[in-house]
């Protein structure tokens, strides 16, 4: 399809304020002015991200309003966040677990050359914490 461009990821969340707090904690900017609230509840928020792909957060109620077929209780996506260093991955992993986050994959040196870990956001979405790739840290890919 000529002209199509990947432009946005929308996360449908159960706990908007907790979810926004989590993404702010890991370093994404989600300005309070970018949160649409109705009746004291957040229903849409837009992260301030650099680049061509946007990250939006939406309540289940809003998702049902614009998608009559919406039925997902949890997504099947891993959200990736790149941190400034290998040490930053380890530090943030420890901090998030100490703050009550669920760890899914402890930090390790991934075969593609990054330091990599996975935690869950408050809605159970897996969030990958990754360092920049260091070619000197690459190793053989696992047998699949």
């Amino acid at each position: 399809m000529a002209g199509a461009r990947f432009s946005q990821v929308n996360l449908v969340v159960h706990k908007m304020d907790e979810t926004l707090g989590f993404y702010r904690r890991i370093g994404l900017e989600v300005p309070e002015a970018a949160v649409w609230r109705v009746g004291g509840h957040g229903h849409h928020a837009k992260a301030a991200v650099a680049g061509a792909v946007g990250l939006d957060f939406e309540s289940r109620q809003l998702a049902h309003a614009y998608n009559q077929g919406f039925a997902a209780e949890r997504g099947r996506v891993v959200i990736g966040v790149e941190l400034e260093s290998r040490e930053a991955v380890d530090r943030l992993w420890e901090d998030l677990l100490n703050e009550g986050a669920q760890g899914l994959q402890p930090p390790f040196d991934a075969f593609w050359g990054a330091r990599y870990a996975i935690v869950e956001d408050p809605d159970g979405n897996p969030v990958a914490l990754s360092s920049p790739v260091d070619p000197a840290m690459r190793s053989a890919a696992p047998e699949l």
Side-chain angles (χ1 to χ4, degrees):
M1 180 172 200
R5 180 183 66 83
F6 180 61
S7 64
Q8 183 172 320
V9 172
N10 292 64
L11 289 180
V12 178
V13 303
H14 297 265
K15 304 170 188 171
M16 181 67 75
D17 290 331
E18 289 179 38
T19 298
L20 296 180
F22 174 86
Y23 284 93
R24 288 171 175 146
R25 173 66 182 90
I26 64 172
L28 295 183
E29 183 183 346
V30 185
E32 188 56 35
V35 180
W36 176 52
R37 295 183 182 278
V38 174
H41 301 285
H43 289 284
H44 178 81
K46 188 169 206 56
V49 296
V53 178
L55 176 60
D56 289 18
F57 305 89
E58 299 180 350
S59 69
R60 290 174 50 209
Q61 296 89 338
L62 181 61
H64 282 288
Y66 72 76
N67 178 0
Q68 65 181 349
F70 176 78
E73 288 303 311
R74 291 188 186 237
R76 300 189 191 281
V77 63
V78 175
I79 300 141
V81 176
E82 184 174 286
L83 304 173
E84 67 272 6
S85 68
R86 304 175 86 73
E87 296 77 22
V89 171
D90 292 351
R91 272 193 313 273
L92 187 54
W93 163 269
E94 287 296 327
D95 290 348
L96 291 171
L97 266 58
N98 288 335
E99 294 167 13
Q102 176 68 41
L104 300 178
Q105 170 60 58
F108 74 106
D109 294 323
F111 71 89
W112 60 87
R115 186 78 172 156
Y116 192 79
I118 302 176
V119 297
E120 281 188 346
D121 75 10
D123 278 299
N125 294 304
V127 177
L129 310 174
S130 179
S131 71
V133 170
D134 178 351
M137 296 299 293
R138 288 190 172 133
S139 60
E143 282 194 39
L144 302 177

